[in-house]
Amino acid sequence: IMGTDFSVLSDIAEALYAVKDTDSVIYTAGNGGSAATASHICNDLLKGCGVCGHTGFKTECLSDSTAVITCLANDFDYESIYSIQLDAKAVKGDILIVYSGSGNSGNIIKAVNLAKERGLKVIGFTGRDGGKLAPLCDLCIIAPTDNMEQIEDLHMFYTHALSYTLQRKLSEKYTSKQ
C-alpha cells in the first residue's frame, strides 16, 4: 500500500459520482482474477451504492457472459472480446473501468483504444510500471508491486475503498435534500 497515489482514487470517485444521475453506463472488464474484480465492482456500484432509497449506478461487466466471450473469441479473436461489446453498446459519456495487473493485456488495450475513440472516460487499475495501459487512461491507479497476487489484492482494496467513498458521498447528498 505504501507508494499508492490515493489522490487518484479520490479523482476516480469524483468521476464516477459526476455521472450518478445521468444516463451514463459504467462498463468494466478484466482477465482472470481481474475479471472477478471487474464483476465485483459492478455489484458494489449497483447494489452497494443504492443508498437512502435511491438506485445505484448503471453498470455492466463485459467479462461476465461466458457465452458472449467464448463466441467472440471463437468467431473473431480473444483480443476483440471487449472491444466488440463496447462497439455495440458504448456511447460518448459512458465510462470504462479496466483491470490489468500487468497493464499489457491485449484485449484491455484494444477496448481502451475503442473507448477513447468513442469519447468514454477510461479508468485503469494496473500494477508494476503501469504497462501500456497507464498512459492511455484518463485516470489510472497503479498498485506499487510486481507481485500479481498483491496487485489483485490491492485492486480489491482500492475497489472497496472507492465503493465506501461513493456510498458516503451519495448518503450525504440524498440526506441533505430531505
Side-chain angles (χ1 to χ4, degrees):
I1 247 179
M2 298 301 292
T4 297
D5 183 353
F6 284 101
S7 68
V8 174
L9 199 58
S10 178
D11 292 342
I12 293 169
E14 289 299 323
L16 297 178
Y17 182 79
V19 301
K20 171 59 183 83
D21 295 318
T22 70
D23 286 331
S24 296
V25 176
I26 301 167
Y27 295 99
T28 66
N31 295 293
S34 294
T37 305
S39 184
H40 190 110
I41 194 173
C42 286
N43 176 67
D44 290 353
L45 292 171
L46 176 73
K47 187 266 182 192
C49 290
V51 295
C52 301
H54 293 265
T55 60
F57 290 86
K58 297 172 188 169
T59 65
E60 182 179 343
C61 180
L62 302 175
S63 308
D64 277 354
S65 176
T66 305
V68 170
I69 289 172
T70 56
C71 170
L72 295 176
N74 184 65
D75 293 355
F76 299 98
D77 58 70
Y78 191 72
E79 275 200 0
S80 301
I81 62 173
Y82 300 135
S83 60
I84 291 172
Q85 292 182 71
L86 282 176
D87 192 34
K89 301 173 185 183
V91 296
K92 184 176 182 168
D94 288 342
I95 293 177
L96 175 63
I97 300 174
V98 291
Y99 293 86
S100 175
S102 68
N104 294 316
S105 302
N107 56 10
I108 296 296
I109 300 301
K110 191 168 183 174
V112 166
N113 286 329
L114 179 79
K116 298 297 285 185
E117 290 172 16
R118 285 286 173 89
L120 276 68
K121 181 175 287 278
V122 175
I123 297 169
F125 288 74
T126 188
R128 300 181 181 155
D129 64 358
K132 297 174 187 171
L133 177 61
L136 298 175
C137 296
D138 295 297
L139 295 166
C140 187
I141 190 159
I142 301 173
T145 181
D146 290 334
N147 180 284
M148 190 57 71
E149 289 79 8
Q150 291 175 350
I151 292 168
E152 290 177 353
D153 288 346
L154 286 169
H155 286 174
M156 186 56 74
F157 171 79
Y158 301 150
T159 295
H160 281 151
L162 181 60
S163 176
Y164 175 76
T165 299
L166 287 166
Q167 289 171 29
R168 192 185 76 242
K169 286 176 69 67
L170 290 168
S171 292
E172 291 169 4
K173 173 185 176 178
Y174 296 137
T175 56
S176 71
K177 287 185 175 184
Q178 295 177 353

